[in-house]
Amino acid sequence: MKDIVLLTGAGQIGLAIVRRIGSGKRIIVSDYSLEHAENLVKTLTEAGFDSVPFQADISSRDSVRALLDFACSEGRIVRFVNAAGVSPSQAPIERILKVDLYGTALLLDEVGKVIAEGGTGITISSQSGHRMPALTPEQDELLAMTPVEELLGLEMLQPENIRDTLHAYQMAKRCNVKRVMAESVKWGMRGARINSISPGIIVTPLAIDEFNGPRGDFYKNMFAKCPAGRPGTADEVGGLAEFVMSERGAFITGSDFLMDGGATASYFYGPLKG
C-alpha cells in the first residue's frame, strides 16, 4: 500500500509543508474549492510529486468521511496536515466557528480513527488564540473535551457571547490548541502523534486579504513592532512542521508551537501592549 500524505487546505502554508514531507508518498490535496486543490496539485506535479486533488468541506462530517474513505482506499495515511480555515476578514462569525473551530475538531476526531501507527499530524492554528485573555480551566476543558457535535452549542460560543469576527477566530484557535492536547491522548493509543503550530503574520493570499481589510493597519503595525520586525514566510512554517513531524520530533505530541516573530511577546510586554 502507498503511504499517504493528507492535506486539507490548498494554501501556501500547506504547500510548504507537504513539499518537505511528501517525497516518495502520494499526496492527497483537499480543499473546499476543487479549483484551488487542482491548482496546488499542478504545482506539486510539475515539481515531481505524486499528488491528486479532492473536493472536501471540513465543516461537514459526511464530506470529511468521504475524503477519508478515498484516502484510505489509496493507501495508509502516515502524515496529516490541516491548513484549512477562514480569516476574520473573509467570513462572518458563524462560518468562522463552523470551519475553524468545529471543522478542525471534526478532522482531528475522524483522522485520529484511521491514522497509521507511527503516523504524525500537524494542524495550523494561530497566534490569535494566544493573545485572547485566559479562559477558566473549566472553559478550556469544555473546548478540549466536549463531543464534536456538541461544541457549537457551548454557551461561550453563542452569538451573544461572541463580540466580532476576530473574537470568533480567537476562540476557534484557542479551541484548536486544546483539541490537539486532548486528541494527542487518543492518537497515542494508535502509536501516532498530533501537534499544532500557531503562526503569526505569514505572507500568504489570506494574509494579504487581512492587510487590505478593516484591520490592515493593525496587522502592519504588529509585524513592524514585533522583535523580528517583519512578517514570516510559509517556508519557515514548513521547516518547523518538517522537524516536528520527523523522527527528530518523536517525543513531541499534544504541543502547540507559537511562531510569530515575537508579536505575542510584544503584545503583552513590549511596544504593542495596549
Side-chain angles (χ1 to χ4, degrees), residues 93 97 156-165 167-168 171:
I93 290 171
L97 294 177
M156 72 182 96
L157 299 179
Q158 298 315 296
E160 63 270 18
N161 295 319
I162 300 293
R163 296 186 300 274
D164 51 29
T165 58
H167 186 208
M171 288 294 288

Side-chain angles (χ1 to χ4, degrees), residues 33-268:
S33 164
L34 181 59
E35 180 182 4
H36 289 171
E38 290 172 337
N39 288 341
L40 195 144
V41 164
K42 182 175 185 292
T43 298
L44 287 168
T45 300
E46 290 174 349
F49 292 91
D50 175 12
S51 59
V52 60
F54 195 93
Q55 193 279 329
D57 176 2
I58 69 167
S59 69
S60 162
R61 188 177 288 273
D62 287 344
S63 184
V64 167
R65 284 179 171 168
L67 168 62
L68 294 178
D69 286 346
F70 173 71
C72 290
S73 73
E74 293 283 298
R76 53 195 294 270
I77 302 173
V78 298
R79 299 289 183 268
F80 167 61
V81 179
N82 175 37
V86 293
S87 78
S89 295
Q90 290 181 318
I93 290 171
E94 182 181 37
R95 184 65 180 160
I96 291 169
L97 294 177
K98 184 70 171 177
V99 174
D100 290 27
L101 190 150
Y102 170 84
T104 296
L106 176 60
L107 279 171
L108 295 176
D109 180 44
E110 291 290 342
V111 175
K113 298 173 184 176
V114 297
I115 189 77
E117 183 177 358
T120 59
I122 282 284
T123 192
I124 300 301
S125 188
S126 169
Q127 65 172 354
S128 286
H130 290 264
R131 289 205 316 275
M132 187 176 68
L135 300 177
T136 66
E138 292 76 17
Q139 288 174 317
D140 279 339
E141 185 170 352
L142 284 172
L143 290 177
M145 302 296 291
T146 298
V148 175
E149 296 305 324
E150 298 174 20
L151 264 173
L152 294 179
L154 291 176
E155 182 181 354
M156 72 182 96
L157 299 179
Q158 298 315 296
E160 63 270 18
N161 295 319
I162 300 293
R163 296 186 300 274
D164 51 29
T165 58
L166 176 61
H167 186 208
Y169 188 75
Q170 290 175 327
M171 288 294 288
K173 297 308 179 180
R174 179 66 62 84
C175 183
N176 293 169
V177 171
K178 297 303 176 183
R179 297 303 286 198
V180 162
M181 292 180 71
E183 286 292 336
S184 70
V185 179
K186 300 176 186 176
W187 283 48
M189 295 175 184
R190 297 181 62 90
R193 299 186 292 113
I194 179 69
N195 293 286
S196 60
I197 296 175
S198 290
I201 299 171
I202 306 296
V203 179
T204 64
L206 184 149
I208 291 171
D209 280 348
E210 290 296 309
F211 296 161
N212 295 323
R215 295 176 57 81
D217 289 342
F218 171 83
Y219 288 112
K220 292 172 185 176
N221 181 61
M222 182 186 296
F223 68 69
K225 291 183 178 178
C226 75
R230 63 171 177 85
T233 65
D235 278 352
E236 289 173 305
V237 180
L240 175 58
E242 179 184 19
F243 171 79
V244 173
M245 299 180 84
S246 75
E247 284 303 308
R248 292 173 295 164
F251 198 54
I252 304 170
T253 193
S255 297
D256 178 67
F257 295 85
L258 176 61
M259 186 183 188
D260 67 351
T264 300
S266 186
Y267 179 82
F268 284 110

Side-chain angles (χ1 to χ4, degrees), residues 16-38:
I17 296 173
V18 299
R19 283 181 69 107
R20 285 166 168 78
I21 66 172
S23 296
K25 302 178 179 66
R26 165 155 279 206
I27 304 169
I28 297 174
V29 178
S30 68
D31 196 273
Y32 184 77
S33 164
L34 181 59
E35 180 182 4
H36 289 171
E38 290 172 337

